[in-house]
Amino acid sequence: MNESKRNSTETDDWEPLKAFTNARIALGKTGVSIPLNESLQFRLAHAHAKDAVYSQLNVPELQAILEKTGLPVYCLKSAAENRDIYLQRPDFGRLLNPSSAETLQKLNSPPADVCLIIADGLSATAIMKNAGPVVQLLVDKVKQAGFSLAPLLIIEQGRVAITDAVGEWLRPRLAIIFIGERPGLSSFDSMGAYITYAPQPGLTDERRNCMSNIREQGLPPELAVDKLMYLIQTAFRMQLTGVALKDNNELGASTVYPQLPT
């Protein structure tokens, strides 16, 4: 085989589909290997994913963004003291540290309809990029629907189930936690939203609804908020979330938000 042919890149039949996805498809090949450029892109994506796991919330910046909603914002921490403990002990990320639990206890506010929580999860990068516009838009929609809102909570080193620890003290009818998802090789900045009706300690994940891949290249803020409002109102009507609550709202359909009887 001559040198020029051995170093040439053979294209893949799936090449046209690359226009519709960021997934690593149709990489082509050079000889028996993938092309050098694709190999380097893979290493770069892997580095971005690792960086996202160890990224940190810029709490003052995030707090300033969320305060634009007009709601009070409280900054809390889980029982995981640092990132290494957070990764090694998932159970610590599901609990509030004593100081944060005391902060919520002292609020002594009446139970609200909806409580919104923002946690770093496995990608603080995702939260810094996506949480602000989604939360601001959702707060406006929730208010328009006539529901009351608890103070906004930022939780460092938090896992999804820390929602239940918050529920023990604030007793909201429904809680939504926005959290950085486990980074993928094409989506290190993806945010998830988990919805829990009547959050309280002892619940399991089958009692929650999950919305994934909230970001501009996935589910953009406007569509995410439309789907969240549908789930919020359906959850109040059915008085539950989880496997029994199905998302039957057509993606992208226009939605009106009258307050439903509960």
Side-chain angles (χ1 to χ4, degrees):
M1 181 182 297
N2 62 49
E3 188 71 16
S4 61
K5 186 172 183 180
R6 185 161 56 88
N7 291 331
S8 64
T9 299
E10 297 180 33
T11 58
D12 192 293
D13 291 340
W14 285 20
E15 185 75 23
L17 298 179
K18 295 183 72 171
F20 303 101
T21 179
N22 290 326
R24 311 187 77 79
I25 64 170
L27 302 182
K29 64 179 180 178
T30 300
V32 296
S33 302
I34 64 173
L36 175 60
N37 182 63
E38 295 293 347
S39 178
L40 294 176
Q41 289 297 323
F42 176 86
R43 294 186 182 188
L44 178 62
H46 188 257
H48 281 315
K50 290 178 64 177
D51 288 345
V53 170
Y54 283 94
S55 59
Q56 295 181 335
L57 288 177
N58 185 332
V59 175
E61 178 182 335
L62 183 58
Q63 184 174 6
I65 292 171
L66 296 177
E67 284 175 345
K68 294 177 182 178
T69 62
L71 295 172
V73 182
Y74 292 90
C75 302
L76 310 174
K77 294 183 178 181
S78 77
E81 297 179 3
N82 55 56
R83 201 59 174 170
D84 287 337
I85 293 177
Y86 175 83
L87 295 173
Q88 295 167 14
R89 292 293 304 269
D91 53 323
F92 284 9
R94 301 180 185 117
L95 303 172
L96 291 166
N97 70 13
S99 176
S100 295
E102 184 179 1
T103 296
L104 294 186
Q105 186 178 13
K106 288 181 177 179
L107 289 181
N108 197 28
S109 57
D113 293 320
V114 179
C115 176
L116 302 181
I117 305 164
I118 301 92
D120 44 11
L122 288 169
S123 177
T125 300
I127 293 300
M128 296 305 301
K129 291 185 67 174
N130 302 299
V134 172
V135 171
Q136 290 182 61
L137 185 56
L138 182 59
V139 166
D140 289 342
K141 296 286 189 181
V142 169
K143 288 180 178 178
Q144 290 172 20
F147 297 118
S148 61
L149 281 154
L152 298 178
L153 305 178
I154 299 172
I155 304 181
E156 295 182 80
Q157 313 292 359
R159 299 272 180 176
V160 170
I162 205 165
T163 303
D164 303 336
V166 169
E168 180 179 11
W169 299 111
L170 293 189
R171 305 183 308 283
R173 294 176 63 201
L174 179 143
I176 302 175
I177 184 168
F178 295 98
I179 193 164
E181 296 186 298
R182 181 179 290 105
L185 292 176
S186 60
S187 56
F188 64 91
D189 57 352
S190 177
M191 182 177 75
Y194 290 79
I195 310 168
T196 308
Y197 185 83
Q200 56 187 299
L203 296 186
T204 54
D205 286 342
E206 51 84 24
R207 297 283 294 275
R208 315 183 202 281
N209 286 84
C210 172
M211 185 180 300
S212 186
N213 198 31
I214 302 173
R215 59 191 185 107
E216 286 296 342
Q217 296 78 19
L219 185 63
E222 294 79 7
L223 290 181
V225 170
D226 271 353
K227 292 177 75 65
L228 284 170
M229 284 302 303
Y230 170 83
L231 290 171
I232 289 170
Q233 296 199 322
T234 306
F236 281 139
R237 186 177 68 244
M238 298 177 65
Q239 298 186 28
L240 56 79
T241 50
V243 296
L245 174 58
K246 306 301 181 184
D247 180 5
N248 296 318
N249 192 34
E250 183 179 350
L251 186 64
S254 59
T255 310
V256 180
Y257 306 115
Q259 186 167 3
L260 299 176
T262 57

